[in-house]
Amino acid sequence: MKNLYFPSNVKVAAVELESVFTIKKVNDQIVFDGVEGKLIQCLADKLNFEIEVLIPPNGVVVSNYGNGTFGGIVGMVQRGEADMGIMGLTISERTAGAVDFSIPFSALEYIFLTKEPKQMPKISAFTYPFTWNLWILYAFMVLVATILFQRILFRKATLLGSFLSVLGSIASQAMENVRETTWRRVLFGLWLTIAAVMAFFYKDSLVSFMTMPGKVPVPRTFEELSNAVLNGKYKCLTSKGVNDRDILLESVNEYMVKLGEIMEKNNWEYSYEEQFADLLDEPVAIITSKIGEKIYLGSPPYVKVKESDNYLGVWHMAINMRKGFCGRERLNDVLYGIASGGLYDKWINDIAFRDTLQKRLEVKHEEPESQLTLQDLKMAFFVLFVGHALALMAFLAELLIPKRFDTFYS
C-alpha cells in the first residue's frame, strides 16, 4: 500500500546561486527563485511542507572524500543533516550507496563551449583556396613538369628557363621553344589543360574566400580539445564543486584522461558566480551543461559561443534524498507531474529569457559586409608590386648580362 504521509518540515541542502537557487524576502515572506528554487517551492506547495534551507560549509555541490563518503550537498544528505539535496544533482553510481534518488525529471547534457570563431584574416586569403597538402602536391607537380619539359619538350633550355616557362604557363603566359612532334603536342596540351583548370579553381575560390571569409578553426570535439590543450593552444575550465575532472580521469579514452590530468595539474576552474562568459575572450574552453549555457549565456544569436559536437556525458537529474526518507513515493508522484507537464523546462526557458533579456536588447542587427575593400586587397597589390619589381630586374638583367649567361637557353 502506498504511503501517503509526508513530513511537514523538510531540510533542503542547496547553494545560493543566481538564476539557479536564490532566497529573497518579499513582503515579510521568504520566496525561492531560480530554476531549483521554483522546483522546491512547487513541491512544498503541492505536498504542504515547510522548507528549511541548509547551506554546506564549503559551498560546493559534491566532493568525493573516498571510502564512500562525500562532502558538499551530497555529504549533508548522506550524514542525515538534510532530507533532500538539489542544485542539478544526478543519478550516479558513485553516490548510489550514500543517498537515494527520486525519479528523473530532466537531463544534464555536458558539453564544452568556445568563443564563436572569428573570420579568417583576408590579408592572407591567397593561401586559403588550397589546403597545405594540395599546395605541396601542386609545387611537386610543377617541379616534376620543369625537369620533364627541360629534357624532352624544350629545345636546349636551361633548368631555370624551363621552370620559368612552366610557372608562366600557370599564369596564362605562352610557352616558346617547344619541339614540334605529335606526342610532345599531346603532352604540351595536357599540361596547359591542367594549368588552366587549376588556375580557374584557384581564382574562383580566392574571390569566394575574400568576399565571404571562412572561420578560424576551433576545437569541435573533446579529442580535438585535448590535442589543443596538450599543444598549449587552449585552456579548459571546469566548474568548482563538481566531479567533471573525475569523469575525465576515469574515461576509457586516453585523450580524455590526458585532458583531465593537465586540468588537474593546473587547477583550471571557474565559478558560476563570476562572469565566466568573459573567460571565453581568451582561447579557453568551458565544460558546462546545456542548461547552464542557456541560463547564464542565453541562446544564439544572442550569444557568440560555439557548442562542441559531442558530449562529455548525459546524466539524469534527480533530487537526492537521505536513506529511509519516508515521503519518497509522494515526492515522486509530484515530480512525475512536473516532468511530464514540461514545467521544469518552462522554468528554465523563462529564467533564461528574463536573466538574458538585457543582453538580447543590446544585440544590434548588422548586415554582413560582402564587398571587397582596399584593405582586403592589400596583399594582392603588394604581390603585384613585387612582381613588377622582379620583372623590371629581369628586364635589366637581359640588357646588361652578356649572352653567355643566357637564362633560358643552354
Side-chain angles (χ1 to χ4, degrees), residues 135-145:
W135 277 116
I136 294 173
L137 179 62
Y138 198 22
F140 178 74
M141 183 175 64
V142 169
L143 294 177
V144 170

Side-chain angles (χ1 to χ4, degrees), residues 198-383:
M198 292 294 288
F200 171 78
F201 284 137
Y202 176 81
K203 294 173 185 177
D204 187 58
S205 299
L206 179 62
V207 174
S208 299
F209 270 105
M210 294 183 69
T211 306
M212 297 293 292
K215 300 289 187 178
V216 176
V218 296
R220 303 299 308 121
T221 65
F222 275 92
E223 184 172 6
E224 292 178 3
L225 176 62
S226 177
N227 293 332
V229 170
L230 291 173
N231 291 330
K233 297 179 180 179
Y234 263 80
K235 291 172 60 178
C236 184
L237 310 181
T238 186
S239 175
K240 295 178 181 177
V242 297
N243 59 351
D244 297 346
R245 293 183 192 173
D246 295 337
I247 296 171
L248 290 169
L249 293 171
E250 295 172 2
S251 173
V252 296
N253 297 313
E254 185 179 358
Y255 61 85
M256 287 283 203
V257 176
K258 290 181 178 179
L259 177 60
E261 288 174 347
I262 195 168
M263 291 170 64
E264 186 76 21
K265 177 181 178 182
N266 293 281
N267 195 30
W268 286 337
E269 293 181 329
Y270 71 90
S271 172
Y272 283 110
E273 296 175 352
E274 56 184 305
Q275 295 295 324
F276 70 90
D278 297 337
L279 298 172
L280 291 172
D281 291 336
E282 302 175 8
V284 169
I286 291 178
I287 295 178
T288 185
S289 65
K290 283 193 172 184
I291 293 177
E293 175 198 4
K294 182 179 290 187
I295 291 176
Y296 287 101
L297 295 178
S299 303
Y302 305 105
V303 57
K304 303 296 183 181
V305 296
K306 199 76 173 176
E307 296 180 1
S308 59
D309 292 337
N310 59 354
Y311 296 101
L312 175 63
V314 180
W315 291 270
H316 292 292
M317 292 176 60
I319 293 177
N320 286 195
M321 297 173 288
R322 62 176 172 81
K323 293 288 186 178
F325 181 67
C326 57
R328 180 177 178 180
E329 293 182 0
R330 290 194 63 194
L331 180 70
N332 284 339
D333 288 342
V334 178
L335 278 176
Y336 179 79
I338 291 173
S340 59
L343 279 178
Y344 193 79
D345 292 335
K346 180 183 182 300
W347 293 331
I348 292 173
N349 293 331
D350 289 347
I351 290 174
F353 177 80
R354 181 196 70 188
D355 293 353
T356 60
L357 179 60
Q358 185 62 35
K359 297 177 184 177
R360 295 169 183 252
L361 295 175
E362 292 174 355
V363 174
K364 297 180 180 179
H365 178 71
E366 297 180 357
E367 291 290 341
E369 295 183 2
S370 57
Q371 294 178 332
L372 295 177
T373 63
L374 183 60
Q375 182 69 19
D376 300 330
L377 298 175
K378 182 168 65 174
M379 179 57 71
F381 282 114
F382 174 75
V383 173

Side-chain angles (χ1 to χ4, degrees), residues 46-185:
K46 185 66 178 177
L47 296 171
N48 194 28
F49 65 85
E50 295 291 331
I51 304 170
E52 181 183 349
V53 178
L54 302 176
I55 307 296
N58 51 8
V60 301
V61 176
V62 57
S63 56
N64 189 357
Y65 295 151
N67 299 322
T69 60
F70 298 88
I73 293 174
V74 175
M76 295 184 72
V77 177
Q78 180 185 25
R79 294 188 297 270
E81 299 171 8
D83 299 309
M84 297 181 188
I86 55 174
M87 300 299 292
L89 296 175
T90 60
I91 298 175
S92 125
E93 184 180 355
R94 182 193 301 269
T95 58
V99 297
D100 285 337
F101 308 107
S102 68
I103 63 169
F105 55 86
S106 188
L108 277 182
E109 303 166 308
Y110 267 84
I111 55 175
F112 70 83
L113 304 176
T114 55
K115 185 90 171 173
E116 181 75 22
K118 300 178 181 179
Q119 289 185 344
M120 289 182 172
K122 294 181 181 179
I123 193 171
S124 56
F126 68 94
T127 63
Y128 298 159
F130 298 153
T131 63
W132 286 112
N133 291 338
L134 186 55
W135 277 116
I136 294 173
L137 179 62
Y138 198 22
F140 178 74
M141 183 175 64
V142 169
L143 294 177
V144 170
T146 297
I147 298 172
L148 184 65
F149 289 2
Q150 189 261 342
R151 293 183 176 275
I152 65 175
L153 192 63
F154 297 125
R155 296 190 185 95
K156 299 181 179 180
T158 63
L159 196 60
L160 179 59
S162 177
F163 173 73
L164 293 177
S165 296
V166 170
L167 205 59
S169 67
I170 298 174
S172 303
Q173 299 296 315
M175 297 179 70
E176 300 178 350
N177 193 33
V178 178
R179 295 178 181 178
E180 297 289 339
T181 61
T182 302
W183 70 272
R184 286 190 176 95
R185 289 177 180 176

